[in-house]
Amino acid sequence: MRKKLIANMLTAFAAMVMTVSIQGLKAEAKIPTSLNEYFATKGDAYNNLDEVEKAKYDLICQTLSGGSSMKSIPGYKVDTIYSQAYQYDHPVIEDEISVIPSVVGSNDPNNCECLIMRKDTYWSHVEPTIQKACQIVSGAQGTPHEKAKYLHDYLVSNVTYDTTTANCATAYGALIEGKAKCTGYADAYSLLCQIADIPCYRAQSRSHAWNVLKLEDGQWYEVDCTWDDETPIIYDYFLITTEQITDESHTRTLYSKMVPIAYGTQFKYVTPEEEKKEEEEKKEETEVTLNGLLFSLEDDTAELCYYEKEKATVKIPNFIEANGKKYKVTSIADYALEGNSKLKNVVIGANITEIGEGAFSNCKNLKSVDMKNCMAKTLPKSLFKGDKKLTKVLLNGKCLKTVKGKSFSNVNKKCNIVIYGSKKNSKKVMKAIKKQGLKNFKLK
């Protein structure tokens, strides 16, 4: 498991342990004992540098942790990323590192030097910021993506966007003063995620800063707490892909170009409202109501499931159209039209190959059923059970092979059965129906 940034600090030096209690939960938060110790540590961004850049990163560590008041690295170019890497590994630091022209008055952006300034007064900010971050993380429970949401919601709920205060660009401003601009939000979120053992970088453009983090699926996700800071909280920029955040404000610059591209989609946050909408849309995609009949859809076929409106005549079509495509109606579900009190006539389409048990049962006014074009091979159990006014049934003797027991249970015994097709097969069907008490047959 990836070691926490704060834990990494302590592998090379002593640390104090502060126990904090949040909502009855206790957590041991390890705090560096001095500014020197914090400045000496190296994080994940260091590992992404080449050997030359690492050497310059090391010089920053040595300068800031060694107590030097000022040191410069000549030959600094604006696209060099070691200073950015150091700052991303240390989201609590403020303006110890800056870029100045190597030649006074020079406007050449590629002829600059990195100026490292040691300001011990910042320890008064570093210590309380890390302590506060540890307290916040103590309340984050569950999986990494659940913790990421908790930390996102904490910042959005407790920080006010502000560009006027002295510390608005820092994690201190966000976590201690509750006021920050985008860089303050981003550095605070990086620090919180690092302590929560969630790999996290600050990404930045020329005008904005946000975060990219890695979750338990091994994928990277974009998070912009600043742009989600609305009332109520929104999640438009929480756990999304880089492709979804390609506006000008999120065009990466400098070291941000080395921050991993976010492709993760598994943990994209869905609000309760969106989840309900997706469920409804999914339902709409798999079910459709046409002419008062409810059909379920699967692949390229449809099944008649139920009636939503009672009608005297029901014609089951060969095809239906929904979702911009055509579906072949191949089956009738169990008890699909059962109990339809207004139903008098049923015509079954030529693509029906399967009819469910009791599909037309207990329809007290049903008089005729036309199945002469139906391709079903079996009349199921209780198909016409209780249809006491049934007077005519037309069957397809070419396809029909089996008549289940009680298919015609408790129907009008004077019902006329007309069987179309092969006389040899039709006689077998007639014989099976006769066993159920019907006597009026005609073979065509």
Side-chain angles (χ1 to χ4, degrees), residues 60-112:
I60 298 176
C61 287
Q62 294 166 13
T63 301
L64 294 178
S65 64
S68 298
S69 59
M70 184 179 295
K71 181 174 290 188
S72 65
I73 303 176
Y76 180 90
K77 294 184 179 181
V78 294
D79 60 350
T80 305
I81 49 85
Y82 60 89
S83 65
Q84 290 288 326
Y86 185 86
Q87 288 175 307
Y88 293 162
D89 280 344
H90 301 78
V92 182
I93 70 170
E94 299 177 6
D95 60 351
E96 284 83 359
I97 304 173
S98 62
V99 179
I100 63 172
S102 294
V103 179
V104 176
S106 172
N107 293 319
D108 182 0
N110 292 319
N111 186 22
C112 297

Side-chain angles (χ1 to χ4, degrees), residues 149 235 266 268-284:
K149 179 180 179 297
Y235 297 92
Q266 180 178 347
K268 179 184 181 302
Y269 182 75
V270 179
T271 65
E273 293 78 14
E274 291 172 332
E275 187 174 10
K276 182 178 180 180
K277 183 179 179 181
E278 286 183 2
E279 289 177 354
E280 290 175 350
E281 289 176 349
K282 185 176 180 181
K283 182 178 180 181
E284 291 173 0

